[in-house]
Amino acid sequence: MDTTNAIILPGGYCNSKTSYSRFLTREVTVGDIPMGGNHPIRIQSMTTVDTMDTLGSVEQTIRMVDAGCEYVRITAPSIKEAENLAHIKKELKMRGYHVPLVADIHFTPNAAEVAARIVEKVRINPGNYADKKKFDQIEYTDIAYQGELERIYKKFAPLVKICQEYGTAMRIGTNHGSLSDRIMSRYGDTPEGMVESALEFIRICEDLRYYNLVVSMKSSNPQVMVRAYRLLVEKMVAENMNYPLHLGVTEAGDGEDGRVKSAVGIGTLLEDGLGDTIRVSLTEEPENEIPVARALVNRYTNRKIRQENIQTREITNLSGHTDTSPYEAAEVNAFIGGSLVPRVVADISRENLKDPFVLTAVGYRYDAINDKYHMGDQSVDFIYLGSQLPSFTLPGNLKVLYDYDTWINLKDKANKHPVYTLKSFQDTAAFDPSLNLITLTNDDLEGEYFANLQLNNTVVFLLETNQPHGMADQRQFFNNLQAIGVNNPVIIKRNYPLNEFSGPVGDIMNPEEPISKIQLYAATDMGALLVDGLGSGIWIDSPATPLDKLASLSFGILQATRSRISKTEYISCPSCGRTLFDLQETTQMIRRRTNHLKGLKIGIMGCIVNGPGEMADADYGYVGAGPDKITLYRGKEVVKRNVSSANALDELIEIIKNDGLWVDEGSEN
């Protein structure tokens, strides 16, 4: 890989800085649709109906393929489901559909060996295929550990040989939530453990001279997922491996939350040039996942075309030095930076500034009777007014940003702060005593104005970009600041004109509606920086997007990156043929009664496969245990087993109340 002018990402993976390029992997054959190498990034999803329902599986598969799905995954929890894959495949061919099928296997090697003779690809999870997951902490000596690896080799080798014989591809898919007791005992619940779990199985495949492999590192936590994939690439390069990567965030949820969390994880890695197939795991109908995935992927196809037509200037580090340590911003007068949570900026300069109710969209509800404002957990920290002056009194705790030329003429400057260009900051002697913002780009660091800049501890940078690969350009900015010893806070600003994400709804090249597209783009561009600890604030500027949507999106991105918690988080799986209840309906039911519990994480799992492990990241869990039966968890601990689904949510709420974490909706907390 060419690492000229490269940045070392956390985990050691090098990535091009300001021009986008993919990390090229070996080609893998999956039926008639190959992946890896120079092939397009492929789209995958998974059926949710019972695999024994042949016609239901076929009809759902057809809807997915018609929506643009290129590989369809179907669960095979036992031999009977694995055998039925042949009937599903036959019926699809009779209807003129030749989509590659992927058998999803957990716990059952014998089902995998049947499926590998039928489908084009088999997905196995190292944590529960031939290894054990009982949440036991066992101390393994090196000899005992090696003995376990030899046992796994013997159990796994038959599947590898069948795949060789039948030309079947294999995905070795590690899940953060289902690492084996053996891996957990030695590596802990870490990205290192996830990577080693996969590498053990890859080494067995290579020892048997089988290379038709794809690898994934999934987690419900985008930070963990990103670190794991980057570390995997580093380790593969060190061991002379180069297998295609399947990207996904597990249990992402639904609606805006699911799209934002998926984009933070998948989009960050696509920005790094990593990824050969993707699956967006939404708690929605599987065909809804496809346009979201397509919108993410198409962005990079379009970017490559733009780069070919636009000269992109590479910017070297000012000191010729790359630094992997976090960017530690100084704190500015208890407003921003340091250990404070990232701030949110909203532009309301285009709104009706004669109406105080306009602030409702950014989290300040005006009470006309008492002439006061009420804040919420998602009230923005700064509003930008540019040169506009409101005709009503603003909330006393809301900070207001004005262009310098307007700010300098204000009589009352309390809680009002100037926004400068580099030139205007250099040319003036008038500054706010507490907070001054300077708009600039990465290019400006090499200009004369920045070279002569007299910085102080009131300055905050407002970082924009005009590069096609804007995230990498902005990421390099932080690296450049470190190289010259500057640590002022940085607010990340991205501008999204309508033509960047508009297009006919349903068009395969522009399949996501504009609201959903800006969710994906902004979550990628800003989330990719925030997961690496870069940025003391965010500002999403999109004139065509309603103000309330921008505010909600801003807080959603901060929540998904674990930078700032402002609401309840739901770790809900997308459902599959193993699911024992209606996940979409249940998730909405739980959300309606618990969505006021700020900071609480609730896992909602259709079955036990990833449930307890993935819920290591959740405070409470609601997991299908059988027909009409739910098991309730506190973290990984079972609190109540086999609760009737009619009573399970009430029982869960009672557990939360007994733990002292319940608050009544609408109460002050």
Side-chain angles (χ1 to χ4, degrees), residues 429-446:
F431 304 103
D432 185 82
S434 57
L435 181 65
N436 298 278
L437 291 90
I438 303 176
T439 300
L440 77 173
T441 68
N442 195 20
D443 291 1
D444 291 325
L445 295 184
E446 291 187 325

Side-chain angles (χ1 to χ4, degrees), residues 3-30:
T3 59
T4 304
N5 192 37
I7 188 169
I8 307 295
L9 301 175
Y13 170 68
C14 292
N15 182 50
S16 168
K17 282 196 166 183
T18 56
S19 61
Y20 170 75
S21 61
R22 277 178 65 189
F23 175 71
L24 293 184
T25 58
R26 69 160 63 227
E27 180 181 305
V28 168
T29 302
V30 185

Side-chain angles (χ1 to χ4, degrees), residues 127-128 131-135 177-181 184 613 636:
N128 56 32
D131 223 333
K132 291 174 288 188
K133 182 66 174 175
K134 297 181 179 178
F135 298 98
S178 52
L179 296 178
S180 69
D181 294 336
M184 291 277 285
K636 294 181 182 179

Side-chain angles (χ1 to χ4, degrees), residues 7-13 226-227 230-231 234 324 475 531-532:
I7 188 169
I8 307 295
L9 301 175
Y13 170 68
V226 167
R227 287 200 296 268
R230 287 172 172 173
L231 182 61
E234 179 187 8
T324 59
R475 181 168 59 195
V531 293
D532 287 340

Side-chain angles (χ1 to χ4, degrees), residues 118 237 262 357 499 513 537 563 636 644:
I118 299 170
V237 170
S262 295
F357 289 98
N499 61 6
E513 59 175 327
S563 304
K636 294 181 182 179
S644 167

Side-chain angles (χ1 to χ4, degrees), residues 85-323:
L85 292 170
H87 298 293
I88 294 171
K89 188 173 181 179
K90 180 180 178 181
E91 182 67 23
L92 283 167
K93 286 186 177 179
M94 287 177 59
R95 299 193 188 192
Y97 286 82
H98 300 273
V99 58
L101 298 184
V102 183
D104 186 59
I105 307 293
H106 293 269
F107 305 116
T108 48
N110 52 5
E113 292 166 19
V114 171
R117 294 177 167 92
I118 299 170
V119 298
E120 286 75 20
K121 184 177 168 187
V122 172
R123 181 268 172 140
I124 60 109
N125 183 343
N128 56 32
Y129 179 83
D131 223 333
K132 291 174 288 188
K133 182 66 174 175
K134 297 181 179 178
F135 298 98
D136 292 332
Q137 185 68 30
I138 304 169
E139 292 297 327
Y140 289 89
T141 65
D142 289 345
I143 293 175
Y145 198 91
Q146 184 58 37
E148 283 295 292
L149 289 178
E150 291 171 2
R151 181 187 64 81
I152 290 169
Y153 191 112
K154 292 177 183 177
K155 204 167 183 179
F156 181 48
L159 175 62
V160 175
K161 292 175 181 177
I162 292 169
C163 287
Q164 284 176 312
E165 179 183 354
Y166 284 82
T168 307
M170 182 189 299
R171 171 155 70 93
I172 296 175
T174 298
N175 269 41
H176 183 220
S178 52
L179 296 178
S180 69
D181 294 336
R182 179 180 55 81
I183 287 290
M184 291 277 285
S185 296
R186 179 158 290 195
Y187 295 93
D189 192 14
T190 63
E192 288 76 12
M194 295 172 66
V195 171
E196 184 59 26
S197 181
L199 289 176
E200 289 176 350
F201 278 68
I202 294 174
R203 293 179 192 122
I204 294 172
C205 291
E206 291 195 337
D207 188 65
L208 294 168
R209 294 179 173 79
Y210 173 71
Y211 307 100
N212 210 25
L213 298 172
V214 182
V215 194
S216 64
M217 298 274 122
K218 293 192 177 184
S219 172
S220 61
N221 183 332
Q223 286 183 316
V224 172
M225 174 257 198
V226 167
R227 287 200 296 268
Y229 276 101
R230 287 172 172 173
L231 182 61
L232 172 67
V233 172
E234 179 187 8
K235 295 289 187 181
M236 284 203 304
V237 170
E239 296 193 31
N240 199 30
M241 299 173 180
N242 191 23
Y243 295 106
L245 302 173
H246 170 74
L247 308 183
V249 175
T250 62
E251 287 82 36
D254 59 0
E256 178 181 86
D257 290 347
R259 284 159 176 77
V260 167
K261 188 184 286 189
S262 295
V264 167
I266 296 170
T268 293
L269 293 165
L270 291 176
E271 286 285 315
D272 290 347
L274 303 179
D276 300 282
T277 75
I278 71 170
R279 191 260 173 114
V280 176
S281 299
L282 300 178
T283 310
E284 299 178 19
E285 293 301 320
E287 54 264 37
N288 290 358
E289 298 179 353
I290 313 306
V292 180
R294 182 63 60 193
L296 283 169
V297 167
N298 281 349
R299 199 177 185 205
Y300 299 92
T301 304
N302 297 337
R303 178 174 293 169
K304 186 175 181 181
I305 295 170
R306 286 179 63 194
Q307 285 183 178
E308 291 171 353
N309 297 325
I310 299 173
Q311 185 175 1
T312 303
R313 183 172 69 87
E314 292 287 351
I315 306 168
T316 58
N317 291 320
L318 299 187
S319 68
H321 166 71
T322 56
D323 191 343

